[in-house]
Every structure is written in structure tokens, then in C-alpha cells.
Amino acid sequence: MKLKQTAISLLLAASVALPSVAAERPDYSHYYSNLPISMAQTAAPEIPDYRVNVADYGAVGDGTTLCTDAFAKAIAAVEAHGGGHVDVPVGVYLTGPIELTSHIDLHLDHNATLYFSPDPSLYVQKEGAKSTRGRYRSAISAEHATDISITGGGLIDGSGNYWRPVKRGKQSDEEWKAYVKQGGTVTEDGKFFFPRAPQGAKYNALDKGRNDLVRIYRCKNVLLQGVTFQNSPRFHIHPYYCENVIMDGIFVRSPWNAQNADGIDLTNCRRVLIVNTTVNTGDDGICMKGGQGASGVKAGPVSDVLIRDCRVYHAHGGFVIGSDCSGGMKNIVVRNCTFNGTDTGLRFKSGMDRGGKTENVFCDSIYMSNIKNEAIIFENTYVNKDVNFQMGNGSDIDSSKIFKPDFTDVHISNVVCHSAGAGIVLRGIPQALIHDITLTNVNISGAHELWSSENTKNIVLKNVKVNGTIPKL
């Protein structure tokens, strides 16, 4: 009997001593079947099966208690254990910036909200940080981390209305009055409002420094799943120089007139899968960025990106490449997506100081309606007209003519669009032709303008109609 009890005790002790193992990872390989090109696949991160509750570290979901330290302590505790899940239960959690480290999953209950404090003093950049170019810290960030995720069904709000400048022309009278009432500065020409800027200021440092809601820098194996990300000071989801990134079933949203509020931006990332995702925001919807100039070339192309079964409502573009393309774009497939109410549908934009080459880009089975401007547009004349540029505090620098836009090897097929400002626009320049583009089975109806083409070469149209007529590009 004693021997039996001793054996049981040893077994229990051994089980306690074993390290946590990762839970079974979801399999995304089926999304890669029947693609027009061979593409490197990505896989979900490995997170150890260990959990802590952020409430056990002092977080209070009452919407008023600042929980920044509680989140930091919970993440540190999980990190010390070798990784795991930081669970956020039901409630509204007021917090400052949250930094994720390797093997950490931030898991939000369906009725959990992270509300990021608008107090700029909480976001002063840490000494030595290099990933944000002098901006404030992002609400959620990670640097050089491996196997990280944000999952669950909760909501993450960046308090962007306290940071973003406001254009008068995009507000009703009542909305404008409400913004001005909260405190800030209206520019002398009456065209912009800067929240919290000192009276008489020509320039708002808060605007220059505002950062992204989620910025993930040089990380590998990243998963964002099931969570709503909203109201960012700047871009919402911004993986930067990352590898193996999955976005599954997330919802990204902001007011339609939110300044620079891009939904999803991939900057020089490799092996990315975006599926079952909805975007409704104030700037570009799902956007590929390849960096500008020599730094973009050094970082290499955006490559092996698969976007499937996504929906974009309001945005400047449904699927966008550019404007920064210097590192190039390679092996990108966009399939079975719906754009409804975007300014443009498929948008390819760049300029002479930020161009690069596209290779193996396929957009197939795209369904669009209520497109304000162009259903499909390629433009090599893009100028970044951000607020500071318009106010004379920046410039569109054309210092190097070697970074030419090179939109080529793009294949668009099986597109249906009902109602658009214009059908198809191809706007090259003599130094950078738009060339070797194919459009197949494209039907655009209800377009106010049919098409236009300048400085192009080898544009192939197969069964393409705009308002029932065949374009003569």
C-alpha cells in the first residue's frame, strides 16, 4: 500500500514540475488551396496553456480606475512563467499603454472593453525605443517578440477623438461645435481643429506625435482574432517588418471622417493571412505599404499576403497598395471580398519619391457597390496631402528620381461593381508607365464616368465592360 501511495505521489510531483504546453493551434492551411500562385503559408502562434486573470493583479473594470500597472504586472507574471494567457474579464478597463512580450496572449472576454486613457503623459516614449520615429507610444505594442496574440470577443478603444485633427469640411455644424467645445484650436483659415492645442498654435505637437492603436514591430508569429479595434489616434492595426501574421474575424472601425485612421496597414511584412475581417474606417481599409526610398528597399517587399472573405465599408480604398512602395510588392492574393461605400475600390497609388515594383498581384472575385470615386484606379501621381502638408508644415519631397513607381504584373478578375464615380482609371507618368496589367471578367455598372488612361503600356482587357460598353484604353 505504501509503495502504491509513493508511486502516486511521485506521479503528481512530476506532473506539477512539467512545463506548460501550448494549446492546440488553429489550422489555417485550407485557405491556401487553389491559389493562382504558390505562396508561403503562415501558422498561428504557440501560446503555453497557462492563464492569469488581470483582476488578480489589481485591474478594476469600473471605467475609472487606471489599470496600466495591473496589466504590466499580469503580463510580467505570465512572462516569468514562460508565457500564457492574460485574461481580461467582463468590464471597462481604463488603461495606459500595454506592451506585449513573447508567448503572451491578451484574451478579452466578449463583454470586456479596454479604453485607453486620452492623457498624453502616459504615452511618452521609453528611452531607446526606435520603432516609432519620435511618436508617442502606441496603445498596444510589441517589439522583437515571438508568438503573441490578441484574442477573444472584446473591444479595444484608442480614444482617438482626443488626438486626431478634424477637417471642417467633413463635419456637420453640430459636430463641429461639439469638437470645438471640448477645447483646442481652430486654424486661422477655419479649415482644421486641433484638440488640446494651445490657442494660437500654428502646429500641434500632439498631432505630429500621435501613434497607432496596435503597432507590432519586427515580431514573428502574430494572431489577432475576434476582437473589435476602434477609434485609433492614427492607424488601427500596423504590423511593421513582421513575419507570420494572421488576422481572423476582427472588426476595425472609426468615424468615417477620422483623419489618417487607416484600418489595417502592413509595412514590409511577409507571410500574412487576413480572413473574415470587417473594416469601416476614415482612411484606407486594407493597405500594403512597402516603405519609402532606400529604407524601404532595404526592408524588402511586402510578400506572400493572402486576403480572403473580408468586407470593407467606408474607407478611402477597399484594398490598397501604396503610396509607399519602394520595397516592392510580391505574391499578393485578394479573393472573395466585398467593398460597399468605399471612396475607391481597388486602389494602387504611388509617386516618384516612393515607388517600387509589383509582382504577382492577383485580385479575384471582388464585389463592390456604392463606390464614391473610382472602382479601379492605378495612379503614379499620388501626393500625400496630410494635415501638416496642407498647412505648410511638410513637403512632398522628390529628392530622388530612382524610386519610380512600377505597377506591373497585376491581374484583376471576376469583379462586379454597381454604382461608382468612375469605372477604370489608369494614370501613369512619362517616367513611370503603368504597364502589363490584365483585367478579366470585370463588369462595372452605374458609373458616372467610364474610364481614362494615360501613360500606359500593354494593358490587356478580356470581357471588361463599364456601363455596358467596352473600354478603349
Side-chain angles (χ1 to χ4, degrees):
M1 188 68 166
K2 286 183 179 179
L3 284 172
K4 187 175 181 181
Q5 288 175 338
T6 302
I8 291 171
S9 298
L10 287 171
L11 254 157
L12 289 171
S15 67
V16 171
L18 286 173
S20 298
V21 296
E24 186 176 349
R25 293 184 290 172
D27 182 11
Y28 288 94
S29 61
H30 62 283
Y31 285 106
Y32 290 87
S33 62
N34 301 317
L35 297 182
I37 53 173
S38 178
M39 178 176 290
Q41 298 185 22
T42 185
E46 279 193 82
I47 306 294
D49 192 15
Y50 173 75
R51 314 193 80 92
V52 303
N53 191 316
V54 71
D56 294 335
Y57 293 83
V60 181
D62 60 1
T64 58
T65 302
L66 189 64
C67 301
T68 313
D69 289 343
F71 277 96
K73 289 176 182 177
I75 290 170
V78 174
E79 183 180 18
H81 196 275
H85 306 266
V86 175
D87 291 335
V88 183
V90 173
V92 177
Y93 297 85
L94 177 68
T95 182
I98 294 172
E99 184 173 353
L100 299 179
T101 55
S102 294
H103 311 295
I104 299 290
D105 168 48
L106 183 64
H107 186 83
L108 277 67
D109 184 273
H110 181 77
N111 288 317
T113 295
L114 297 186
Y115 183 83
F116 282 89
S117 170
D119 181 358
S121 69
L122 298 175
Y123 301 87
V124 175
Q125 194 60 252
K126 295 189 299 184
E127 187 176 351
K130 297 180 180 180
S131 68
T132 54
R133 299 181 181 180
R135 297 183 182 273
Y136 287 93
R137 293 177 65 184
S138 295
I140 298 178
S141 64
E143 294 191 13
H144 301 281
T146 302
D147 294 304
I148 58 174
S149 59
I150 304 173
T151 63
L155 185 149
I156 298 175
D157 189 302
S159 297
N161 50 297
Y162 290 94
W163 295 83
R164 296 186 302 262
V166 178
K167 288 183 178 179
R168 177 64 181 95
K170 290 187 175 182
Q171 316 294 325
S172 69
D173 290 344
E174 290 302 315
E175 288 172 323
W176 182 255
K177 289 176 183 176
Y179 272 112
V180 173
K181 188 176 180 181
Q182 78 180 27
T185 292
V186 177
T187 58
E188 291 178 0
D189 60 9
K191 292 182 178 180
F192 295 97
F193 167 75
F194 288 98
R196 299 185 296 196
Q199 289 297 321
K202 297 283 187 182
Y203 181 83
N204 186 359
L206 287 176
D207 173 58
K208 185 180 180 182
R210 62 191 166 100
N211 212 338
D212 309 326
L213 181 58
V214 178
R215 185 180 177 97
I216 302 168
Y217 178 73
R218 294 193 181 277
C219 293
K220 295 182 179 180
N221 309 335
V222 178
L223 172 64
L224 306 179
Q225 185 182 57
V227 175
T228 296
F229 301 87
Q230 70 175 31
N231 197 19
S232 176
R234 189 168 167 263
F235 301 163
H236 284 78
I237 309 296
H238 193 187
Y240 202 101
Y241 298 173
C242 291
E243 298 180 13
N244 297 329
V245 179
I246 298 172
M247 302 179 204
D248 178 14
I250 65 173
F251 183 19
V252 182
R253 67 175 194 164
S254 74
W256 74 270
N257 47 17
Q259 188 72 25
N260 309 121
D262 289 26
I264 297 169
D265 283 334
L266 305 179
T267 296
N268 301 88
C269 291
R270 299 168 180 80
R271 296 185 297 280
V272 179
L273 176 65
I274 304 174
V275 293
N276 309 313
T277 285
T278 300
V279 177
N280 187 10
T281 189
D283 211 299
D284 287 330
I286 301 174
C287 184
M288 311 292 105
K289 293 185 178 295
Q292 185 171 336
S295 61
V297 173
K298 183 179 179 180
V302 177
S303 62
D304 295 296
V305 177
L306 176 58
I307 301 167
R308 294 190 58 161
D309 308 318
C310 294
R311 183 167 293 178
V312 181
Y313 292 105
H314 188 274
H316 286 184
F319 169 73
V320 182
I321 285 181
S323 61
D324 297 341
C325 300
S326 296
M329 307 283 160
K330 186 175 182 179
N331 298 347
I332 299 174
V333 176
V334 184
R335 173 173 283 184
N336 198 33
C337 292
T338 298
F339 308 148
N340 187 317
T342 57
D343 287 355
T344 59
L346 296 170
R347 186 184 193 192
F348 303 80
K349 58 176 180 173
S350 192
M352 279 298 289
D353 60 336
R354 62 191 71 190
K357 186 177 182 180
T358 54
E359 303 175 67
N360 283 337
V361 177
F362 292 81
C363 301
D364 178 71
S365 299
I366 308 297
Y367 307 97
M368 298 186 274
S369 55
N370 303 315
I371 307 302
K372 180 181 177 183
N373 300 315
E374 302 89 355
I376 299 170
I377 179 170
F378 291 78
E379 56 178 325
N380 287 343
T381 57
Y382 183 79
V383 176
N384 185 17
K385 296 180 180 179
D386 63 15
V387 169
N388 294 326
F389 175 73
Q390 291 184 52
M391 293 182 65
N393 296 307
S395 61
D396 189 59
I397 300 169
D398 191 9
S399 59
S400 174
K401 297 289 186 181
I402 64 172
F403 302 109
K404 297 180 180 181
D406 190 8
F407 287 130
T408 181
D409 198 10
V410 178
H411 310 275
I412 298 172
S413 58
N414 301 312
V415 174
V416 178
C417 175
H418 173 72
S419 183
I424 300 169
V425 173
L426 306 174
R427 191 178 295 132
I429 55 177
Q431 308 96 313
L433 303 181
I434 294 168
H435 64 103
D436 297 286
I437 308 293
T438 64
L439 291 88
T440 306
N441 298 330
V442 175
N443 187 6
I444 301 170
S445 61
H448 300 293
E449 298 179 19
L450 300 184
W451 57 80
S452 65
S453 175
E454 53 186 300
N455 296 307
T456 65
K457 181 180 179 181
N458 296 336
I459 308 300
V460 179
L461 307 181
K462 301 177 182 179
N463 191 27
V464 175
K465 292 183 179 180
V466 181
N467 289 3
T469 63
I470 300 173
K472 297 179 181 179
L473 301 177

